[in-house]
Amino acid sequence: MVQKYQSPIRVYKHPFELVMVAYEKRFPTCPQIPVFLGSEVLRESRSADGAVHVVERSCRLRVEAPRLLRKIAGVEHVVFVQRNVLNWKERTLFIEAHNETFASRVVVKENCSYRVHPENEDWTCFEQSASLDIRSFFGFESALEKIAMRQYTANVKRGKEVIEHYLNELISQGTSHIPRWTPALAREEDAPSQAGQREPDSLEVCGPSSAQDLAPESVSTDGDKLDADYIERCLGHLTPMQESCLVQLRRWLQETHKGKIPKDEHILRFLRARDFHLDRAREMLCQSLSWRKQHQVDLLLETWRPPALLEEFYAGGWHYQDIDGRPLYILRLGHMDTKGLMKAVGEEVLLRHILSVNEEGQKRCEGNTKQFGRPISSWTCLVDLEGLSLRHLWRPGVKALLRMIEVVEGNYPETLGRLLIVRAPRVFPVLWTLISPFINENTRQKFLIYSGSNYQGPGGLVDYLDKDVIPDFLGGECLCNVPEGGLVPKSLYLTEEDQENEDQLWQWRETYHSASVLRGAPHEVTVEILERESVITWDFDILRGDVVFSLYHAKQASMPGPREPGARASGQLMDRGWALGANFSCVEAPLICREGESIQGSHVTRWPGIYLLQWQMHSPPAHVACSLPGVEDVLTALHSPGPRCKLLYYYEVLASEDFRGSMSSLESCTSRFSQLSAATSSSSAPSHSSSLVSRKAPAQTGLSNKGNSLSAVTGMPRLGLASDPRLHPVRTPITVILTMHLGRSMDAVSF
């Protein structure tokens, strides 16, 4: 593979003639460049008027490589041939160089250019490009390539320092001005004879026009070129190879990309994200540009207006900057009802809001760069986790979060300068375990996590934020205008019909389904389980009325024929002649669910077969039984007006090994946790399976303080287990439940 190097334009703020005198002081030897052992002139010639001076030199460079490699190669130094064409009239110097040593095995080519700055004739521009092609080298091709590129880039940096050294030396000696070239007085009749008096074997002299032809294609003074001072001032310090990658990728975009060329700061982020591997950065950037065009992200800041609900309940916003001048974004995640937001506005609306935050962040970085006079390409995020609990580990919400991380990582790399996480509760390691594998390693290294009040005092926020910027809710004196979040009222949730009427982008059927339950006409979902110990998980909200939720199992469906795993159906799903305990069994005891409650649960299946999730309207206790309605009941309910219950539900089937580590059944911190009975009312053998149900009490009713305290384990307010002995005859400590689902000891989820 051919390795290439392309420098940005380096500007010497000195006249071209003075720079040329400094350049000539490098020959025949240069103590400031230790690897340069010396040079000798092979050929030299001048044009008739003295404007063009051509010199061809042989240069010896010491090989800086491991002793074994030098011994195998049999050389201690290598020889390069350099051809310089200096045109005093045009004020240009073009340099071509190639290697003579191992020319059949290794091909090195270099082109350099000195010329007058296009906007200031008293300044001089320098540009350099090179290529390395190792065809064969005794089996050490890869090692030689790395050594050669490392040595070359080190010499590039050293070369600039040497020119500046000799410029300073000339100025200190009193030489600060060299007169420009002027044509010598000569008789016109002498010009033809002088032009013809050349030695037969002399080097052909290049006039101004032919000298221009020697300029490599990359050398130009176009306004789209990058210069080193601009990079240092606006992009930050880069190594020569990093500068080369930036210049090459930018040029490639200019030549091939149809559309708006990204800003240099944006291109540089992709290079950093791929450790300046040019091909991988190019691929990542191309995918991102295609994504931006497809979703019209460039117009997002002009077109996006967040819904009023987001402005009220999304607890995030910009807040001044950190001590390094990075824009500061504050996110009060623990106070945010992520589940409520998803159900009220949809995943796509949330994603679009996150994208607008990232677009705004890039814009603020540009503004801070101008304001503080130094490159600022990333921002700081302060995340307050006070209130974070198991409700934030709701499985669809975690899925949505992982998707958002994937989109941001792929399209806004290296935009996060630092992430400060404060007041992390004991449940935080659970969330971190779920999301950290999806976060780039470079990004993870920018995380600083404080539990409790450790963020206060030395080593805490004061190391990264000015005291007058620390928000009031974290003990500072600065008033923070970020919304406080809070629970989203269920009355604002969107139903499936609402989504269709409002033409939302959210694909509802990939997450929640809406259903109506009539008296005598339950809503049912069938799931076919092919292997034992699979896990059925569910999450549903009761929007209107009271329902009874049950889970049944049958060895086979009442209707023959193929059935897709996880198939959804409603109505009479099992033969009305089947008897409870004979043809089917109730594997989870009926659970009464009141209007406004959120229920989460899971069931580890013991047998393959057909499982039925059923929601039926709640009747007086005498009518609540583990039985399925008959056809007559269903027909009567469908044809007679009466009360109707409404719910939103989500379910998923996981392999047992996939469920380990999932916290979908431990969803709500404002919940009462309960263990359903492992026994059924009809099965002769106790069920191997168990189900944990999380119930969110309506805000107006408050929380139950009965049962065991969970605060020691979760770091949350004291909560209670539901105390209905009829529904929950078995009490399982929360530590056992966490260990069962996480597959690890509680030490793994505590600070």
Side-chain angles (χ1 to χ4, degrees):
M1 180 179 177
V2 178
Q3 293 289 334
K4 295 182 178 181
Y5 170 82
Q6 174 64 58
S7 76
I9 295 177
R10 306 191 186 281
V11 178
Y12 298 100
K13 297 181 180 180
H14 299 279
F16 175 81
E17 290 74 18
L18 187 63
V19 173
M20 290 300 97
V21 174
Y23 173 78
E24 288 297 328
K25 291 177 74 69
R26 296 175 51 175
F27 304 100
T29 60
C30 183
Q32 284 75 23
I33 306 180
V35 298
F36 184 53
L37 300 178
S39 64
E40 60 182 35
V41 176
L42 300 178
R43 298 178 183 86
E44 184 175 6
S45 63
R46 297 179 185 274
S47 63
D49 58 1
V52 179
H53 183 198
V54 181
V55 179
E56 190 169 351
R57 293 185 178 93
S58 174
C59 305
R60 291 177 294 112
L61 302 178
R62 184 172 68 245
V63 176
E64 291 190 343
R67 183 173 178 273
L68 176 61
L69 191 60
R70 295 200 308 269
K71 188 173 182 181
I72 293 174
V75 296
E76 292 296 329
H77 69 269
V78 293
V79 176
F80 279 76
V81 174
Q82 181 191 78
R83 185 170 186 262
N84 294 1
V85 180
L86 173 60
N87 190 321
W88 292 106
K89 181 179 179 180
E90 301 292 334
R91 302 180 78 191
T92 60
L93 170 63
F94 297 119
I95 305 169
E96 290 182 338
H98 65 274
N99 63 305
E100 278 198 341
T101 307
F102 300 117
S104 62
R105 295 178 177 272
V106 180
V107 179
V108 180
K109 294 182 179 179
E110 182 184 53
N111 292 282
C112 303
S113 153
Y114 289 89
R115 63 194 318 158
V116 177
H117 194 283
E119 298 177 1
N120 190 330
E121 63 178 12
D122 290 329
W123 290 358
T124 305
C125 296
F126 170 75
E127 194 170 5
Q128 180 177 13
S129 64
S131 63
L132 169 67
D133 183 10
I134 302 178
R135 297 170 179 174
S136 65
F137 200 80
F138 314 106
F140 290 89
E141 292 81 7
S142 178
L144 179 62
E145 182 180 282
K146 294 179 181 178
I147 293 171
M149 294 305 295
R150 183 171 64 246
Q151 183 171 329
Y152 182 80
T153 53
N155 291 337
V156 166
K157 182 179 179 181
R158 187 63 180 156
K160 179 186 178 184
E161 296 171 351
V162 168
I163 294 295
E164 291 175 341
H165 166 78
Y166 285 127
L167 284 169
N168 294 332
E169 184 180 273
L170 287 170
I171 294 172
S172 65
Q173 294 172 355
T175 304
S176 59
H177 177 72
I178 302 295
R180 294 187 185 181
W181 176 88
T182 55
L185 296 176
R187 292 194 305 270
E188 294 182 4
E189 59 270 18
D190 292 341
S193 60
Q194 291 178 358
Q197 294 174 0
R198 297 176 184 168
E199 295 295 331
D201 59 345
S202 66
L203 183 69
E204 181 181 358
V205 177
C206 300
S209 59
S210 58
Q212 183 71 21
D213 295 337
L214 289 173
E217 209 174 284
S218 62
V219 178
S220 71
T221 55
D222 297 338
D224 61 359
K225 303 292 268 187
L226 294 176
D227 72 68
D229 289 342
Y230 160 77
I231 292 176
E232 189 77 24
R233 183 177 66 256
C234 298
L235 303 180
H237 175 73
L238 300 177
T239 67
M241 280 307 298
Q242 290 172 347
E243 291 177 337
S244 172
C245 290
L246 175 61
V247 173
Q248 291 183 66
L249 184 52
R250 189 174 186 268
R251 175 182 297 167
W252 179 84
L253 285 172
Q254 290 169 341
E255 294 173 352
T256 62
H257 180 62
K258 296 180 181 179
K260 183 179 178 181
I261 302 296
K263 296 181 179 180
D264 300 322
E265 300 91 329
H266 197 61
I267 299 174
L268 187 57
R269 291 186 181 108
F270 285 86
L271 286 166
R272 284 175 171 151
R274 291 296 178 261
D275 297 322
F276 286 89
H277 189 290
L278 191 58
D279 292 336
R280 290 189 295 177
R282 181 189 294 120
E283 180 183 1
M284 182 183 184
L285 180 56
C286 286
Q287 292 175 351
S288 178
L289 291 176
S290 176
W291 171 83
R292 293 181 70 87
K293 181 178 180 180
Q294 178 183 354
H295 298 281
Q296 298 183 330
V297 179
D298 289 333
L299 302 175
L300 189 59
L301 289 181
E302 302 173 11
T303 59
W304 170 251
R305 294 296 179 270
L309 188 145
L310 267 185
E311 292 181 336
E312 180 179 357
F313 292 100
Y314 186 86
W318 295 100
H319 181 80
Y320 302 102
Q321 55 270 328
D322 68 4
I323 59 173
D324 297 320
R326 296 189 185 101
L328 176 63
Y329 189 83
I330 293 180
L331 182 65
R332 304 188 70 177
L333 183 60
H335 286 216
M336 193 156 60
D337 181 8
T338 53
K339 177 179 178 181
L341 286 173
M342 272 191 63
K343 290 188 174 183
V345 299
E347 181 181 333
E348 289 297 330
V349 172
L350 273 178
L351 175 59
R352 208 152 185 81
H353 186 65
I354 297 299
L355 297 182
S356 72
V357 170
N358 282 270
E359 290 292 312
E360 176 68 20
Q362 293 184 144
K363 184 178 179 180
R364 287 176 177 263
C365 286
E366 295 173 12
N368 285 19
T369 296
K370 296 177 182 178
Q371 178 182 349
F372 297 107
R374 60 178 183 274
I376 296 173
S377 60
S378 60
W379 55 83
T380 293
C381 186
L382 172 61
V383 181
D384 179 20
L385 295 185
E386 183 190 44
L388 182 79
S389 58
L390 298 176
R391 70 183 171 90
H392 291 90
L393 306 182
W394 167 62
R395 186 172 182 82
V398 172
K399 278 187 172 182
L401 175 61
L402 295 180
R403 181 195 171 200
M404 294 175 189
I405 290 175
E406 181 182 10
V407 172
V408 172
E409 287 271 304
N411 298 283
Y412 300 93
E414 297 298 316
T415 52
L416 181 66
R418 184 181 293 121
L419 182 68
L420 303 170
I421 299 177
V422 299
R423 301 199 283 193
R426 296 192 179 190
V427 74
F428 171 71
V430 181
L431 178 62
W432 180 247
T433 300
L434 295 175
I435 67 173
S436 60
F438 298 89
I439 301 176
N440 181 274
E441 177 62 28
N442 292 337
T443 304
R444 289 203 300 268
Q445 293 176 358
K446 301 171 184 176
F447 284 41
L448 296 169
I449 303 172
Y450 301 91
S451 62
S453 60
N454 292 341
Y455 65 91
Q456 300 175 347
L461 293 183
V462 292
D463 287 6
Y464 307 101
L465 305 178
D466 291 329
K467 290 184 178 180
D468 56 355
V469 170
I470 297 178
D472 50 355
F473 62 84
L474 292 178
E477 300 178 356
C478 185
L479 179 63
C480 182
N481 295 321
V482 173
E484 294 185 3
L487 291 176
V488 178
K490 285 187 172 61
S491 60
L492 299 179
Y493 286 6
L494 294 174
T495 64
E496 190 170 358
E497 292 80 7
D498 294 331
Q499 290 285 336
E500 292 174 354
N501 294 337
E502 298 186 15
D503 194 26
Q504 298 284 350
L505 295 176
W506 186 27
Q507 299 300 317
W508 186 266
R509 292 189 179 276
E510 293 183 2
T511 49
Y512 277 81
H513 305 286
S514 64
S516 296
V517 180
L518 303 175
R519 189 175 305 279
H523 184 80
E524 299 168 339
V525 174
T526 57
V527 179
E528 183 176 10
I529 299 298
L530 302 179
E531 297 181 358
R532 55 174 296 183
E533 295 189 349
S534 297
V535 181
I536 305 172
T537 68
W538 56 84
D539 175 79
F540 58 90
D541 293 276
I542 309 303
L543 303 182
R544 188 169 68 197
D546 299 339
V547 302
V548 177
F549 173 73
S550 304
L551 179 66
Y552 299 98
H553 169 261
K555 294 182 180 179
Q556 61 181 10
S558 60
M559 300 297 293
R563 183 186 299 272
E564 293 292 333
R568 175 186 175 193
S570 61
Q572 184 68 49
L573 301 177
M574 293 189 182
D575 196 305
R576 62 179 179 175
W578 283 7
L580 182 65
N583 304 103
F584 64 95
S585 59
C586 182
V587 294
E588 289 283 3
L591 179 66
I592 299 175
C593 310
R594 304 294 181 181
E595 180 176 328
E597 290 183 339
S598 294
I599 309 297
Q600 301 79 38
S602 60
H603 179 86
V604 183
T605 62
R606 184 174 183 179
W607 312 281
I610 303 299
Y611 285 78
L612 180 77
L613 287 76
Q614 183 194 80
W615 294 268
Q616 61 179 322
M617 185 173 290
H618 176 53
S619 301
H623 300 286
V624 178
C626 291
S627 61
L628 297 173
V631 174
E632 293 82 0
D633 298 328
V634 175
L635 294 176
T636 301
L638 292 176
H639 290 88
S640 61
R644 173 183 305 207
C645 299
K646 294 200 70 172
L647 61 98
L648 294 175
Y649 69 92
Y650 166 89
Y651 71 95
E652 186 175 7
V653 178
L654 304 170
S656 181
E657 60 271 16
D658 293 338
F659 189 72
R660 298 178 70 85
S662 170
M663 298 300 298
S664 58
S665 63
L666 303 177
E667 181 270 348
S668 176
C669 78
T670 58
S671 302
R672 294 170 290 171
F673 294 93
S674 61
Q675 176 70 23
L676 292 181
S677 174
T680 67
S681 59
S682 55
S683 177
S684 58
S687 171
H688 171 70
S689 308
S690 63
S691 174
L692 177 68
V693 176
S694 170
R695 169 182 289 173
K696 181 187 293 183
Q700 65 269 23
T701 62
L703 300 178
S704 170
N705 288 325
K706 299 178 182 180
N708 300 329
S709 172
L710 307 181
S711 58
V713 177
T714 65
M716 300 181 296
R718 187 175 187 271
L719 305 175
L721 295 172
S723 56
D724 187 339
R726 180 179 61 84
L727 294 180
H728 317 292
V730 179
R731 300 280 180 86
T732 302
I734 189 66
T735 52
V736 177
I737 296 169
L738 280 169
T739 304
M740 176 182 70
H741 290 289
L742 286 174
R744 54 174 74 98
S745 69
M746 282 308 300
D747 292 338
V749 293
S750 61
F751 284 97

